[in-house]
Amino acid sequence: MTRRPTAKIAAYVGVAALALLAGLALGRPELVAVAAPLAVLVVAGLAGARDPELAAEVTVDRERALVDDQVTVELTVRAADPVERLEVLLVVPPGMDGPDGAVRSWAVAVRLAAGEERTVAVPLTCRRWGAYALGDVHLRAHDRFRLFTWERHLDRQAALKVFPVPDALRALVRPFETQVSTGSHVAAQRGDGIEFADLRPFLPGDRPRSINWRATARRGALMVNQRHPERATDVVLFLDSFLDVRGPAGSTLDQAVGAAASLASAYLRQRDRVGLVSFGGFVQWLQPGSGQAALYRLLDTLMETQVFATAAWKGIRHLPPRTLPAKALIVALTPLLDERGVAALFDLLARGYDLAVVDISPLTHAGRAGGEWDELARRLWALERETLRHRYQRLGAAVVEWSDAMHLQQVLLEVEACRRRAGLAPG
Amino acid sequence: MPAPRRARTRLACGLAATAVAAALAFAPLAAVGGTLRQALAWLAALGLLLAAGAALRLASLLAPALVVLLAEYTLVLVGRGGRVHAAAPLVGAGLLLYAELASWAREARPRVRDERPVLTARATMVAASALAALGLGVLVLLAAAVPAGGGLARLAVGVVAATATLALVALVARPTSTRAPRG
């Protein structure tokens, strides 16, 4: 521990010395009577001061939580010698609130007897998704006379992942093409399934149960039903994390991550395979997978998403080919701010991917225009973004602007309607 | 404990320290008169200003505040002549009480929630220190009144005490930080 003398010790010693010297010079015992308590207190403090032997541990009651959940951080301190006052300060990371609404840090002062162990439970409220490392703790011990302080910094790194609360989605963007595995999407192909597709004449090898007897009676020849099979699809969530526009109500990246978590959860419930590409200064990817394990893998990766400023050019060619399987539906969540992200989407369209773009509008997070020129700049910006969306639409992508006021479900319905208008959506 | 209550602890200690400092600064003025009183009134005002600053704002003003209050008291003693001032232990205890309250006010950060045993122990410590200071001052004055070996012996005791205090100054002034590995 680092020992520091307080301002008091120098003041006491200096004043006591001055008073004693003055008393000696002037022959006044009163000054000695004034100086004596200060000097005695310092001597007693110096005699009794010794480095406190402290041990500390930091634990979190769980490893995963949802936004707005409360987690408890337990700080356990043990002292070999008595500590008159021990300040325990827990650094509250941005995105979390301490007790009584404390931000940045929360501190308590306790008194420890020799050999005593104390556990301080600090409830923290998770306000934002993300991967947190709790356990940044500062200890400051005081001696009985407050002449010295001993300081120590602990960095125990108790990990906590806070996931966004997934939105309940009833309708999702349907893929244009499906994969061969069984799932919940009605495929465009014909085969064994439930949904009726067409009638055709009976051929040797057809099962008798597929004969449509009414059509057979009408046409005078054996007719069989053809059906659409239910197939799974590969969905790749493409997260543009080059830039983030943050406002008082949240940020574009917050919206994107929340939407990605909701979409991943909903698609995986439908037995689809879901992959992730976090495309930004720091590129992360996950190959499409299915099941609960894939969901956790994906959420864990999502939580590590952050804006990492870099000027290096990033393109689709930096991604492993299996990250973007053929026939996959790519749902891009992007604020359309960085040209590398914008270019990557054009590249995906050029490669023939089924692309749906959710344009997370940064205009709502950028704040209100302050004056005439601000308003003009804002309108120009909105116009520029509108032009960009039209360029994507001309190339066959469904693009929908997501303003802060809209629910994700509304956005998805609009994407689906847009794809239907463009003749991309099945049905 | 909500934050405003914690801030009240700090304010209460600071105001109490300032009140003690005001008493220390202005009470001795009654013992003197004339131009010295007017001059000391300015010194008392300066002392009070520094004391309030140390208690309410800047801990580094503690030493200057104590020095000014001590200087004022020394001048009062000089103005009184040869008579022993019987209230000197009260002044010593008052100075200590002021300094302890001022340092407590600086120590009670609004963001730190002090548990009740900490506050109780601190209040007990301050009160005990002030009482002990009072007792020690009385003992010193009584010892000074005892005829022990004439002026030379007393001078020798004074020199030894002053030297010991200067040694203490040197001890405190030396680098005292001890470091342990972090984590």
Side-chain angles (χ1 to χ4, degrees), chain A residues 214-367:
Chain A
R214 286 191 179 182
T216 301
R218 270 200 308 273
R219 300 194 185 184
L222 279 173
M223 301 296 287
V224 292
N225 290 330
Q226 282 187 303
R227 297 181 188 276
H228 291 295
E230 281 75 36
R231 296 277 166 81
T233 188
D234 285 351
V235 180
V236 178
L237 302 170
F238 188 92
L239 206 70
D240 178 352
S241 58
F242 278 110
L243 287 171
D244 185 24
V245 179
R246 181 166 287 278
S251 75
T252 53
L253 191 63
D254 286 354
Q255 264 183 279
V257 169
S262 303
L263 286 169
S265 172
Y267 277 115
L268 286 169
R269 263 201 310 275
Q270 292 187 2
R271 288 178 291 168
D272 292 326
R273 298 198 314 157
V274 180
L276 173 74
V277 174
S278 177
F279 197 66
F282 185 61
V283 180
Q284 288 178 294
W285 61 82
L286 271 181
Q287 287 177 22
S290 57
Q292 201 71 7
L295 178 64
Y296 279 111
R297 253 200 323 271
L298 201 138
L299 289 175
D300 282 351
T301 311
L302 265 181
M303 293 309 99
E304 286 159 16
T305 305
Q306 54 183 311
V307 174
F308 183 77
T310 172
W313 185 262
K314 303 278 169 84
I316 294 299
R317 63 190 168 85
H318 290 105
L319 298 173
R322 282 199 293 177
T323 310
L324 299 169
K327 299 182 185 177
L329 165 67
I330 298 176
V331 181
L333 301 156
T334 168
L336 293 179
L337 287 172
D338 192 278
E339 59 178 317
R340 289 165 291 188
V342 171
L345 297 183
F346 279 120
D347 202 355
L348 287 171
L349 280 171
R351 290 169 191 233
Y353 281 103
D354 181 12
L355 180 66
V357 181
V358 176
D359 167 19
I360 301 168
S361 175
L363 289 163
T364 48
H365 296 293

Side-chain angles (χ1 to χ4, degrees), chain A residues 1 12 20 28 30 153, chain B residues 81 85 100 115 165 178 182:
Chain A
M1 296 191 86
Y12 280 19
L20 280 177
R28 305 294 312 208
E30 295 95 330
H153 177 227
Chain B
H85 189 213
E100 287 295 317
E115 288 189 342
T165 310
T178 54
R182 296 172 81 194

Side-chain angles (χ1 to χ4, degrees), chain A residues 48-307:
Chain A
R50 64 183 68 160
D51 286 8
E53 289 177 31
L54 290 170
E57 282 173 22
V58 183
T59 53
V60 188
D61 63 344
R62 58 183 123 161
E63 292 178 350
R64 292 187 171 97
L66 291 174
V67 169
D68 289 336
D69 273 4
Q70 202 171 65
V71 295
T72 304
V73 178
E74 286 193 341
L75 308 167
T76 305
V77 283
R78 271 186 308 278
D81 301 313
V83 180
E84 280 299 310
R85 185 171 189 263
L86 176 67
E87 284 178 32
V88 184
L89 184 142
L90 173 72
V91 176
V92 179
M96 301 191 99
D97 284 352
D100 309 327
V103 288
R104 288 205 292 255
S105 64
W106 181 86
V108 65
V110 296
R111 188 166 184 251
L112 293 174
E116 186 182 351
E117 180 178 296
R118 284 289 300 277
T119 300
V120 181
V122 188
L124 298 178
T125 309
C126 310
R127 294 286 177 219
R128 187 176 184 258
W129 59 271
Y132 294 94
L134 301 169
D136 191 357
V137 177
H138 296 262
L139 300 176
R140 183 187 288 144
H142 299 259
D143 63 336
R144 184 185 298 273
F145 297 101
R146 307 298 197 269
L147 297 179
F148 294 100
T149 59
W150 288 265
E151 293 180 2
R152 186 175 169 191
H153 177 227
L154 300 170
D155 206 355
R156 293 288 188 245
Q157 300 291 330
L160 173 72
K161 288 194 173 173
V162 179
F163 301 130
V165 180
D167 290 327
L169 301 174
R170 288 192 300 171
L172 296 168
V173 179
R174 288 183 295 168
F176 184 56
E177 290 185 285
T178 51
Q179 304 291 337
V180 290
S181 52
T182 306
S184 306
H185 299 281
V186 177
Q189 297 88 1
R190 285 156 194 186
D192 285 338
I194 298 169
E195 290 289 321
F196 176 78
D198 204 354
L199 288 171
R200 66 163 171 78
F202 181 86
L203 292 172
D206 281 340
R207 287 187 297 179
R209 62 179 296 186
S210 61
I211 294 171
N212 187 325
W213 293 107
R214 286 191 179 182
T216 301
R218 270 200 308 273
R219 300 194 185 184
L222 279 173
M223 301 296 287
V224 292
N225 290 330
Q226 282 187 303
R227 297 181 188 276
H228 291 295
E230 281 75 36
R231 296 277 166 81
T233 188
D234 285 351
V235 180
V236 178
L237 302 170
F238 188 92
L239 206 70
D240 178 352
S241 58
F242 278 110
L243 287 171
D244 185 24
V245 179
R246 181 166 287 278
S251 75
T252 53
L253 191 63
D254 286 354
Q255 264 183 279
V257 169
S262 303
L263 286 169
S265 172
Y267 277 115
L268 286 169
R269 263 201 310 275
Q270 292 187 2
R271 288 178 291 168
D272 292 326
R273 298 198 314 157
V274 180
L276 173 74
V277 174
S278 177
F279 197 66
F282 185 61
V283 180
Q284 288 178 294
W285 61 82
L286 271 181
Q287 287 177 22
S290 57
Q292 201 71 7
L295 178 64
Y296 279 111
R297 253 200 323 271
L298 201 138
L299 289 175
D300 282 351
T301 311
L302 265 181
M303 293 309 99
E304 286 159 16
T305 305
Q306 54 183 311
V307 174

